[in-house]
Amino acid sequence: MAQQHLEPPTDSPAGPVSGDALAGYLRAQATEFLRSLRQHRETGPEAGAAARAKPRTEARTDARDVSANVSRNVSRDLSRTGEHGSGGYGPGESVDAARALRRSARRISGTLHTFRPMLDTDWSEGMRPELAWLSGTLAREHAYAARLERLLGALNRLSGAAGFPAQTAGNTGAPAKGSLTVGAAKAGALLDRQLTLARTRAHSAALQALGSSRFHAVADSVAVLASEVPLTPAATTADLRPLAAAATDRLTDAVAALPLVTAGHPYNAEALVHGLSADTAPQPQDAPWHQVRLLLRLHRYACEVLYGEDAPIDVRLLRAGQALNRHRDAAEAAAAAASAARTPRIAPATAYALGVLHADQRHEVEAARFAFQQNWQKEAVRTP
């Protein structure tokens, strides 16, 4: 199969892109990081009054103090939502702020990786893993909740049931379909217990992280980044385009290594290979696809640095990224079903339902690979 190359936007910069564009992008993402923290901070009456009374310029001057106060209020607000909710973030602004925080952390970390020759080496190498830790810690709780919703929805679809005991009280259900429907209720209850416990632990880990000195250090570093980007002396005159092109080359090389010919055939059952393996490790065939997803994200961040927020959107890459997100979600859901099926002393009907659920999610993995292959082979279509 011929290798698909990424074409640059038609309105790409004709001349070199200097380190000033990189500094501006990092400052903007750092500002967004701090703004998302302030959204949590403003939920507290005392902190909110202090934030409204403080001039904007003064808030920039003592950004380090703001980041420390913000992190304490984030931990407190999450504790309140955990007391009155189901162990997760509160509705509305708290959820939006958490997502914005993870979004900006990912972009800062990815940009530091792609353009690391333009930045102070010691600072960037120390900052990247801390941002990855923060983003991963905050994302884990939401991931468990989404995984449970996905798996229970799949069990409903496969068995024809209207709901599970954990979801619907007094539910009479749909007409039985043999052992699958009988086992589906027990399988759903088992998944609900396991994933809710995992979500609760992830929530506790997020609370501990947001109240830790490690988080304070990250917030302090981002606050400094909002005003001062540690560029190398040569970055002001250097061109960022070769580094962005290198990120694109890494993406195209990784995609070329994927089995796209096989993925292009629907119902090829490649994703079900080793489905009955006793090995509890993640399926190795998924790793290259996960790597492409990360490289595609780095490519997108590099384009944001070069072309700014007004850059055209590549619809082909957007849909390919969505397919890879579905691939990741389905693969993790299948792993959760397989893990639940290994629970000792479960009923045969429950194990059977979990096995059908695992196969269903691996078919979803296959469908996501097919969708990615179809989108990747299309010609680039961009919206102005």
Side-chain angles (χ1 to χ4, degrees):
M1 178 175 293
Q3 183 174 350
Q4 178 76 47
H5 293 281
L6 299 179
E7 297 294 337
T10 55
D11 59 347
S12 58
V17 180
S18 67
D20 293 337
L22 174 61
Y25 181 81
L26 287 175
R27 281 195 295 266
Q29 294 303 323
T31 301
E32 181 64 25
F33 184 99
L34 297 176
R35 183 182 295 115
S36 64
L37 290 178
R38 291 191 185 98
Q39 288 181 359
H40 284 283
R41 178 174 183 259
E42 290 170 357
T43 59
E46 296 179 359
R52 289 188 295 269
K54 182 173 295 187
R56 195 171 185 179
T57 55
E58 184 180 353
R60 291 179 179 175
T61 304
D62 59 355
R64 295 190 181 186
D65 294 335
V66 168
S67 65
N69 292 331
V70 163
S71 59
R72 284 192 291 270
N73 283 278
V74 169
S75 178
R76 179 193 60 202
D77 296 335
L78 286 176
S79 299
R80 290 175 177 173
T81 59
E83 292 172 0
H84 301 288
S86 58
Y89 293 112
E93 294 183 357
S94 297
V95 176
D96 293 338
R99 289 175 179 173
L101 179 63
R102 287 159 39 203
R103 177 182 179 275
S104 56
R106 289 196 307 265
R107 277 167 166 76
I108 295 173
S109 178
T111 303
L112 296 182
H113 174 78
T114 301
F115 299 100
R116 58 185 178 274
M118 300 293 178
L119 299 158
D120 180 78
T121 303
D122 295 336
W123 176 84
S124 61
E125 291 300 324
M127 188 71 171
R128 281 173 45 213
E130 296 303 296
L131 290 170
W133 161 76
L134 177 60
S135 178
T137 301
L138 296 179
R140 201 166 295 124
E141 179 183 0
H142 172 73
Y144 283 125
R147 196 170 305 154
L148 177 61
E149 181 180 1
R150 180 188 184 93
L151 288 171
L152 294 183
L155 280 173
N156 281 328
R157 171 172 50 82
L158 291 169
S159 65
F164 294 99
Q167 295 178 300
T168 306
N171 171 53
T172 59
K177 291 186 178 181
S179 61
L180 180 57
T181 300
V182 173
K186 295 182 179 180
L190 177 61
L191 289 169
D192 183 77
R193 287 195 303 271
Q194 292 184 349
L195 292 177
T196 300
L197 176 60
R199 183 185 179 188
T200 302
R201 291 174 176 172
H203 177 71
S204 299
L207 290 178
Q208 294 177 0
L210 292 172
S212 66
S213 58
R214 185 178 183 182
F215 174 74
H216 287 292
V218 174
D220 288 344
S221 298
V222 175
V224 174
L225 182 63
S227 59
E228 181 181 358
V229 179
L231 297 174
T232 60
T236 55
T237 58
D239 189 2
L240 300 180
R241 292 178 299 175
L243 294 176
T248 302
D249 292 341
R250 288 191 292 270
L251 172 62
T252 53
D253 291 343
V255 173
L258 294 177
L260 292 184
V261 174
T262 303
H265 296 283
Y267 308 107
N268 57 76
E270 182 69 19
L272 294 175
V273 175
H274 305 301
L276 296 178
S277 174
D279 190 2
T280 59
Q283 293 210 19
Q285 63 168 295
D286 295 337
W289 296 87
H290 296 333
Q291 180 66 14
V292 168
R293 175 178 170 273
L294 296 178
L295 292 175
L296 181 58
R297 176 181 290 175
L298 293 178
H299 166 74
R300 188 171 72 249
Y301 298 164
C303 290
E304 291 177 0
V305 173
L306 293 184
Y307 311 118
E309 297 180 355
D310 297 330
I313 299 175
D314 191 330
V315 178
R316 178 175 66 94
L317 293 184
L318 178 63
R319 292 176 177 173
Q322 293 171 348
L324 291 175
N325 287 338
R326 294 196 301 272
H327 178 277
R328 186 270 317 269
D329 294 341
E332 292 180 346
S339 176
R342 297 187 185 97
T343 303
R345 297 182 297 277
I346 60 175
T350 305
Y352 173 67
L354 290 170
V356 173
L357 180 60
H358 174 267
D360 174 76
Q361 293 303 302
R362 292 307 300 180
H363 277 299
E364 293 291 333
V365 169
E366 176 188 308
R369 293 177 183 178
F370 177 78
F372 173 82
Q373 190 270 349
Q374 294 294 301
N375 285 289
W376 185 262
Q377 298 302 322
K378 292 180 180 179
E379 295 294 331
V381 177
R382 294 183 174 87
T383 59

